Amino acid sequence: MHRRVRRPAVYLPLVALVIVAACATVPITGRKQLSIIPSGQLQSMSYDQYAEVLQTSPLSTDREATAMVKRVGARIQVAVEQYMAQQGLSGQLSGYQWEFNLLESDQVNAWCMPGGKVAFYTGILPICQGEAGIAVVMGHEIAHAIADHGGERMSQGLLTQFGGMALDQALSNKPEQTRALASTAFALGAQFGAVLPFSRLHESEADHMGLIFMAMAGYDPRQAPAFWERMAAGGGAKPPEFMSTHPSDETRIRKLNESMPDALRYYQP
Ligand SMILES: [Zn+2]
C-alpha cells in the first residue's frame, strides 16, 4: 500500500520538470505547449512516413487539379514564411521540406505532416469546389504543422506511455511504439481512433490560424464557413482528419466567424 502511494510523489516532480523545461509557444495564438521532441527528430520521422505514403498511394493523373493544389500550397507557404520572418520566428521553419501532392483516393481527406509534407486526396476536391476551397483546407492543414500539433501530441503520448524514461532512450529502445505514436500524432490512418487530449483545441487553433494563413496568401477567408458547411453536409463516413474530434459543425462555424475580423485584417485580394 505504502509503495503505491509513494510512487507518484517520486515521479511527478520529474514529469513537472520536463514540462517546465520543454515549453514552446504557438505562433499567432501565443498558446504555450508541451514540446519535448526536437523538431529535427520529428521531421525525420515525418519524412520517412511521407515517403511511405507516396510509395503506396498513387498520385492523381489530373494535371489541372494537381497544379491547383501545388499552386495553393506554394502561395500559402510563401505567406507563412513571410509572416514567420516578420515575427522573427523563421527558426521554427528550419529543416522544412515543403511538398504538396494530390493523391488518387476517394477519401475526403488532406493532411500536413511536420516539416511541411502535404497530401490532398482527390475525394476532397468536390467539396473544395475550386481554389478558394482548397485554400481553406490547405491553410488548416499547414496550421497544424506550424503550430507543431504533431509534436505536442507526440510529447504528450511519450510522457503518458514512457513517463520518466528519457526521450532518446524511448526512441532507441522502443522503436515500434514510438513509430506508432508518431503516426497517431501526425493524424495518419486508422490509429487516430486512439485520441490523445487537446484534439478539439488543436482543431479550433488550426481553424483560426488557417483562416489567417489563407487570407495572407490572398484567398478570401469568407469562403471558409461555406466550405465547412459543405463538409458537414457531405455526411457519410468521415475520414481521420475530419472525424469526431473536430468541434461540432455549428461550433466550428461560429468560431470561424469570430475569427473573421482578425483574418480580414491580413486579407489582400
Ligand atoms: Zn484538423
Side-chain angles (χ1 to χ4, degrees), residues 60-114:
S60 167
T61 53
D62 183 337
R63 283 193 194 175
E64 206 178 316
T66 299
M68 197 183 280
V69 167
K70 288 183 188 288
R71 180 167 64 241
V72 173
R75 273 175 67 170
I76 294 183
Q77 173 194 341
V78 167
V80 167
E81 285 173 344
Q82 280 174 354
Y83 174 78
M84 296 293 270
Q86 284 160 8
Q87 301 295 313
L89 298 174
S90 292
Q92 290 189 26
L93 297 178
S94 87
Y96 262 63
Q97 296 177 13
W98 295 96
E99 194 173 340
F100 311 96
N101 282 298
L102 178 61
L103 307 179
E104 186 64 48
S105 166
D106 291 342
Q107 283 187 65
V108 183
N109 209 5
W111 39 259
C112 176
M113 291 206 290

Side-chain angles (χ1 to χ4, degrees), residues 24 137 146:
V137 178
I146 298 299

Side-chain angles (χ1 to χ4, degrees), residues 13 16 19 29 59 77 89 94 109 116 149 154 159 171 175-176 186 192 195 212 247 251 256 266 269:
I19 293 170
T29 66
L59 292 173
Q77 173 194 341
L89 298 174
S94 87
N109 209 5
H149 288 160
M154 197 165 167
L159 276 188
L171 290 175
E176 283 303 309
F186 304 160
F192 195 66
V195 180
I212 289 172
T251 307
L256 278 170
Y266 293 97

Side-chain angles (χ1 to χ4, degrees), residues 110-111 137 140-141 144 149 153 187 192 199 202-204 206-207 228 240-243 245-247 252:
W111 39 259
V137 178
H140 175 96
E141 300 308 334
H144 276 308
H149 288 160
R153 276 196 269 194
F192 195 66
S199 293
H202 284 174
E203 291 316 317
S204 297
D207 277 350
W228 290 112
E241 175 29 12
F242 298 99
M243 256 180 355
T245 50
H246 273 69
R252 155 168 264 154

